[in-house]
Amino acid sequence: MIIDSHQHFWQYDPGRHHWMDDSMSVLRRDFLPGELQQIYGEHSIDGCVAVQVDQTPGENAFLVNLASEYPYIKGIVGWADFADPGVEKDLERYSDIKKIKGFRHIVQSEPDPNFILRSSFMNGIACLEQFGFTYDILVFPHQLGAVLEFVKRFPNQKFIIDHLAKPYIRDGFYDGWSTLMQAIGKHENVCCKLSGMITEADHRAWKKEHLQPYMEMALETFGTARLLYGSDWPVCLMAGTYRQVLGTLHDFITRLSQEEQVAIMGGNATKFYKL
């Protein structure tokens, strides 16, 4: 079974989606399950995990409603206000909704590089384990030092790093990102998504070989049991097509055993998110 572990849906609203600047004009429209279902049919994708975009409780309801209509949406990564003292009650309520598998906060947009280490935020994260929820870590490389301290605090919590922590592929920066990712990868409770890479490269001139060192490091660090395929559709459309994203990863893992390929392309997502 092939599972796309990272994609998004939205009904475009200029106010709510103000982060879509002029360089993201291709994203300024609705992206809904009917369109993605057709793409999945063309590429034999069996299902997906829909990941939050808006940081509101309404986002969770929006994704749950879509999942009830489109069974190929196997799981949801929603949003909760972890700094809210009442977040535990919210998580308890969400635990009754089977399609909600975990949560994410857009930490990359927080001006404080140590936001993820704030005590109020970590108090909320501490509530996840009792309900069996996962947590997606969305950060930039300059925030990885804080991430390392963060994952140390919660050795039993299931974490996954989105988009390889968005390495600076366009600029060719590697060493600092690599050093911290390798340190984080030593923690067995942390997985990583092979996703979002082409949007961190030169949108018009990227080549597979530009992504190769970053994928190689991820494979060496997390192994085939802790890597998940993700398309980051529709954000990937800023730099290419779904076919290009999928083909790039297929070419990279073709040297692996069939069992390892199956794990990266869906088995690990099924296990991590309990799909």
Side-chain angles (χ1 to χ4, degrees):
M1 180 178 288
I2 300 178
I3 300 293
D4 183 345
S5 72
H6 198 104
Q7 57 73 219
H8 308 285
F9 298 116
W10 61 70
Q11 290 177 303
Y12 177 64
D13 178 270
R16 192 167 69 253
H17 300 127
H18 57 85
W19 53 272
M20 296 182 192
D21 59 27
D22 291 342
S23 69
M24 303 179 183
S25 59
V26 69
L27 304 181
R28 291 173 171 172
R29 65 174 179 85
D30 295 352
F31 287 94
L32 296 169
E35 181 177 354
L36 187 58
Q37 187 173 44
Q38 182 177 348
I39 294 171
Y40 282 172
E42 295 170 357
H43 298 287
S44 300
I45 308 296
D46 298 293
C48 69
V49 176
V51 180
Q52 64 83 221
V53 174
D54 295 341
Q55 300 199 134
T56 66
E59 176 79 342
N60 300 332
F62 170 67
L63 294 176
V64 169
N65 287 337
L66 294 182
S68 67
E69 185 176 354
Y70 292 89
Y72 78 81
I73 304 173
K74 306 294 185 183
I76 293 166
V77 174
W79 179 82
D81 185 356
F82 290 105
D84 185 340
V87 71
E88 185 173 1
K89 292 183 178 179
D90 292 334
L91 296 178
E92 182 177 14
R93 176 165 52 86
Y94 287 130
S95 69
D96 291 332
I97 304 174
K98 293 183 179 180
K99 283 290 180 80
I100 296 182
K101 305 299 183 179
F103 294 88
R104 183 177 83 156
H105 184 85
I106 303 178
V107 176
Q108 68 173 33
S109 296
E110 296 291 346
D112 178 4
N114 294 317
F115 172 88
I116 203 168
L117 294 178
R118 290 181 179 179
S119 58
S120 58
F121 187 82
M122 290 197 296
N123 287 342
I125 294 296
C127 298
L128 287 169
E129 185 184 347
Q130 64 181 298
F131 300 109
F133 285 130
T134 62
Y135 182 76
D136 275 51
I137 299 173
L138 178 64
V139 293
F140 286 128
H142 74 273
Q143 297 167 308
L144 283 174
V147 171
L148 177 57
E149 297 299 325
F150 179 70
V151 299
K152 286 180 180 179
R153 303 286 182 94
F154 303 99
N156 299 315
Q157 174 60 45
K158 292 170 66 176
F159 293 116
I160 190 160
I161 298 177
D162 291 349
H163 315 322
L164 284 78
K166 297 196 166 186
Y168 303 122
I169 300 173
R170 183 182 299 105
D171 300 307
F173 297 149
Y174 176 87
D175 291 342
W177 164 83
S178 176
T179 297
L180 284 167
M181 285 289 282
Q182 289 179 57
I184 292 166
K186 291 178 180 178
H187 297 270
E188 296 291 330
N189 59 317
V190 184
C191 294
C192 182
K193 291 183 183 179
L194 288 168
S195 62
M197 290 175 286
I198 67 171
T199 52
E200 300 310 314
D202 187 318
H203 290 182
R204 295 186 177 183
W206 69 270
K207 298 178 181 179
K208 293 178 183 179
E209 49 263 37
H210 297 156
L211 314 181
Q212 188 80 13
Y214 302 90
M215 293 192 288
E216 291 285 2
M217 194 288 300
L219 179 60
E220 179 181 342
T221 298
F222 294 94
T224 57
R226 289 190 288 147
L227 287 179
L228 284 65
Y229 161 65
S231 69
D232 199 25
W233 183 92
V235 180
C236 65
L237 301 181
M238 292 195 299
T241 65
Y242 195 98
R243 183 179 298 277
Q244 287 177 303
V245 172
L246 186 62
T248 296
L249 187 55
H250 274 158
D251 290 349
F252 176 68
I253 67 174
T254 188
R255 70 182 189 269
L256 303 177
S257 71
Q258 186 63 31
E259 182 180 2
E260 290 171 326
Q261 293 182 50
V262 168
I264 291 172
M265 296 305 299
N268 294 341
T270 299
K271 180 179 179 180
F272 182 84
Y273 287 116
K274 296 181 181 179
L275 304 181

